[in-house]
Amino acid sequence: MKFVIQRDQLIASVQDVMKAISPRTAIPILTGMKIEAHTHGITLTGSDSDISIESYIPVEEDGNVYIEQLEPGSIVLHARYFPDIVRKLPEKTVEFEVDHLHQVTIKSGRAEFKLNGQDAEEYPLLPKLQTDDSFEVPIDLLKNMIKQTVFAVSTMETRPILTGVNVNLKEKGLNFTATDSHRLASRAVPIDTNLEFSNIVIPGKSLNELNRILDDAEETVEVSVTENQILFRTKHINFLSRLLDGNYPETSRLIPTQSKTIIQAKTKDLIQAIDRASLLAREERNNVVKLTTESNNFLEISSNSPEVGHVSEEVSVHKIEGEELKISFSSKYMLDALKVIESEDIIIEFTGAMRPFIIQPVNGENILQLILPVRTY
């Protein structure tokens, strides 16, 4: 195997596949990165058996030549050293050559590295997904859906199913839902496809990595689902993740259908006031902040920490309808929810001091954030 490649292209691909490589794996060869050279380009692969990422560099694209002097072959290189070497090479091109003993020579300018590789035949084969049953999503939309839900997954392994995002596709609507049983985040968008599936649960860790890796420059991503795997495919990336086993809880019954108090406010004003109030609430029981409705469309946002002190602030809102309200909640949960709603104004609907409340944007986007209040007496 032999080729000369543009260093920047190689660095970008190496960084992508590194997101799937873990030093703590039961299969030793998976601590390495597989490099395959074909006549039309080079594929780099990384996997930790939960996530697998393939990154493809074509010989030529849009009139730019990325790879020259290509002789096909394959090798597995230890991922601990190879990325740092590539990043620190002095020139814009990298010469790569593998001999029959799996020794790899990497040259750039006057720098030359020799690394011991492993036989690529020993690298596990990734499952090939049938892509007949697939649908396409705009990349910017998918990234938004991930950002607006994945933060609410559980970090506790006691209920593994809650560490993932529940994905349903029915009646031409794609829906993401995440909950850790104290809060819930959901986002729905229309999708033009006749495909339908339900109760697909993608690990939150996989979606976070996918979000980092998807290139904003590309327009759409193709999604294919089987019983236990999901594949996200773009022109240069194949991102394969296992799915979580088990039934996701029915979350629709958690969402209140009626409200006793409705507040409409500027998102930015609430974020800033809750953020200031949380400065004194950090060490206390899960960062509790209290919201109290006042007359003339004002809210009081306050926090009290016996050891530290007290903070209160009046916030002017667009309107307050219904019953008077005093409610306490985790400032962290509230800030997480408000920051992902990309709308200037929000509506918060309460059904009492000890019932879950929901936050939605005024702009009509199908985003819903639900938070359970905190008992403070």
Side-chain angles (χ1 to χ4, degrees):
M1 179 165 101
K2 184 179 174 185
F3 55 84
V4 176
I5 189 167
Q6 294 294 317
R7 188 175 69 103
D8 286 354
Q9 300 300 121
L10 185 58
I11 287 173
S13 277
V14 165
Q15 284 173 336
D16 283 346
V17 300
M18 279 303 292
K19 292 181 171 68
I21 298 173
S22 167
R24 298 182 299 280
T25 174
I27 307 167
I29 200 163
L30 289 185
T31 59
M33 181 183 298
K34 183 177 171 187
I35 302 169
E36 293 172 282
H38 326 273
T39 50
H40 47 77
I42 288 165
T43 303
L44 281 71
T45 305
S47 177
D48 66 357
S49 55
D50 280 348
I51 301 174
S52 304
I53 298 171
E54 289 180 343
S55 179
Y56 174 66
I57 307 168
V59 167
E60 185 180 346
E61 189 175 60
D62 301 332
N64 298 315
V65 176
Y66 297 131
I67 302 164
E68 297 174 295
Q69 302 170 34
L70 193 150
E71 293 173 13
S74 57
I75 193 74
V76 176
L77 278 180
H78 202 295
R80 187 174 162 195
Y81 305 104
F82 181 57
D84 286 341
I85 290 170
V86 173
R87 205 164 42 242
K88 294 182 180 179
L89 288 173
E91 298 295 329
K92 288 186 175 174
T93 58
V94 181
E95 280 183 56
F96 201 94
E97 191 167 356
V98 181
D99 67 18
H100 64 288
L101 296 171
H102 307 309
Q103 191 172 66
V104 183
T105 305
I106 301 168
K107 288 184 197 168
S108 180
R110 295 185 177 181
E112 180 177 315
F113 287 84
K114 288 196 184 295
L115 291 178
N116 298 322
Q118 288 175 275
D119 187 352
E121 294 291 316
E122 293 172 22
Y123 198 89
L125 281 175
L126 300 187
K128 292 286 176 230
L129 290 196
Q130 289 298 319
T131 52
D132 307 340
D133 290 345
S134 61
F135 62 96
E136 290 199 342
V137 189
I139 280 184
D140 54 352
L141 183 60
L142 178 63
K143 291 183 76 151
N144 250 357
M145 291 183 79
I146 294 170
K147 187 180 83 176
Q148 288 164 342
T149 53
V150 75
F151 68 89
V153 301
S154 174
T155 52
M156 310 286 283
E157 289 294 335
T158 44
R159 288 185 73 189
I161 198 78
L162 295 187
T163 62
V165 174
N166 187 30
V167 180
N168 293 307
L169 178 61
K170 35 189 156 176
E171 295 162 10
K172 294 186 184 288
L174 180 65
N175 193 300
F176 279 31
T177 306
T179 182
D180 61 5
S181 73
H182 299 290
R183 57 175 166 180
L184 177 145
S186 89
R187 174 80 201 269
V189 297
I191 291 283
D192 187 17
T193 176
N194 293 322
L195 263 183
E196 293 206 347
F197 57 75
S198 59
N199 205 40
I200 294 278
V201 186
I202 308 171
K205 176 187 169 224
S206 299
L207 287 174
N208 276 322
E209 295 300 357
L210 177 67
N211 208 16
R212 290 190 191 107
I213 212 175
L214 283 176
D215 185 354
D216 293 331
E218 293 196 50
E219 287 178 5
T220 60
V221 55
E222 183 187 37
V223 186
S224 312
V225 179
T226 63
E227 278 180 26
N228 56 3
Q229 304 263 356
I230 186 164
L231 173 68
F232 297 88
R233 184 203 296 269
T234 67
K235 201 176 356 174
H236 297 296
I237 293 282
N238 282 350
F239 184 102
L240 187 72
S241 170
R242 74 178 177 97
L243 297 172
L244 294 176
D245 289 331
N247 287 317
Y248 202 81
E250 180 51 65
T251 53
S252 57
R253 57 191 172 78
L254 298 173
I255 297 160
T257 51
Q258 59 198 53
S259 51
K260 293 179 179 174
T261 311
I262 299 175
I263 293 169
Q264 187 174 332
K266 271 205 165 337
T267 314
K268 192 175 165 188
D269 291 354
L270 267 187
I271 287 175
Q272 291 174 344
I274 292 168
D275 196 23
R276 281 189 285 270
S278 72
L279 292 172
L280 299 192
R282 281 188 187 146
E283 303 305 319
E284 284 299 298
R285 319 167 288 274
N286 52 13
N287 308 355
V288 175
V289 163
K290 185 184 282 184
L291 177 151
T292 308
T293 57
E294 296 182 336
S295 56
N296 301 330
N297 291 342
F298 275 98
L299 299 178
E300 184 192 46
I301 304 287
S302 62
S303 175
N304 187 50
S305 172
E307 295 81 27
V308 185
H310 176 82
V311 53
S312 74
E313 178 173 347
E314 279 196 335
V315 181
S316 171
V317 297
H318 297 313
K319 63 179 179 186
I320 300 172
E321 293 174 1
E323 299 177 2
E324 288 184 0
L325 178 76
K326 279 186 184 176
I327 192 166
S328 301
F329 48 79
S330 157
S331 59
K332 180 189 182 310
Y333 286 1
M334 191 68 164
L335 289 171
D336 285 348
L338 291 171
K339 282 174 183 173
V340 298
I341 294 179
E342 292 167 353
S343 167
E344 206 171 296
D345 298 311
I346 47 151
I347 289 179
I348 313 178
E349 297 187 36
F350 300 90
T351 47
M354 287 319 298
R355 304 274 302 144
F357 59 92
I358 57 175
I359 311 164
Q360 288 178 294
V362 170
N363 66 11
E365 274 195 336
N366 203 339
I367 303 169
L368 182 140
Q369 302 286 343
L370 176 144
I371 297 174
L372 267 67
V374 176
R375 194 184 292 274
T376 51
Y377 51 84

